[in-house]
Structures are given as C-alpha cells and as structure tokens.
Amino acid sequence: MIVCVCRRVSDREIARHAHAGMSFDEIQFELGVATQCGRCEGCARDVVAQCSASGAVAHIQNATQPIQLANNILESNAWPSSPFCSAA
C-alpha cells in the first residue's frame, strides 16, 4: 500500500530499505518519506519498527584477515590502465 502519498512511497519500499539495515532517518533522507505534509510519518515509522524488530536480512561479517592497500594508485589492479593516463 502507499504510505506516503506526497512522494508515492509504498510500505514495501520502506520495508526493503529497513531490512537492509537503514534507520528511519536514513530512509527518510533516501526516499523523501514524511518530508512534505508529514501525515505518513507515524505509519512509516511503524513499518520501519516492524522490520527492525524482525532483524536485518543482510549481515556483513568482519573480515578476519587484514586488507593490504596499494601504496599509490599506480600499484592498484582495480581497473585496467588507460593509454591516456600515464605516470609522469
């Protein structure tokens, strides 16, 4: 159902963001829910609270191994080198 008529935000969209671990303030900033007339704020907060109570779907585990960073950008293999960008 549509929770925020002003921004046309549904309860499913709010729930999806809440299940991803976002707080109400983060969802409000991202979707614009409850930023105009404000009538939907209570319902939107209820949706976030229900989803937060059920636990987050995504969970990020801390890495057990330290990550070695490149000393400078030229040592990185994150993307292929461009012939237009060469070291001076």
Side-chain angles (χ1 to χ4, degrees), residues 5-66:
V5 176
C6 298
R7 296 288 186 161
R8 194 168 168 81
V9 179
S10 70
D11 59 338
R12 288 182 182 187
E13 195 167 3
I14 295 169
R16 186 168 41 92
H17 283 75
H19 281 299
M22 294 176 75
S23 68
F24 176 78
D25 292 338
E26 293 168 328
I27 294 169
Q28 187 177 35
F29 181 77
E30 182 75 23
L31 302 178
V33 66
T35 58
Q36 289 197 334
C37 77
R39 292 184 183 193
C40 62
E41 184 173 352
C43 183
R45 284 187 183 274
D46 288 345
V47 172
V48 173
Q50 288 173 354
C51 294
S52 298
S54 65
V57 172
H59 176 72
I60 300 173
Q61 263 186 318
N62 292 336
T64 57
Q65 298 290 332

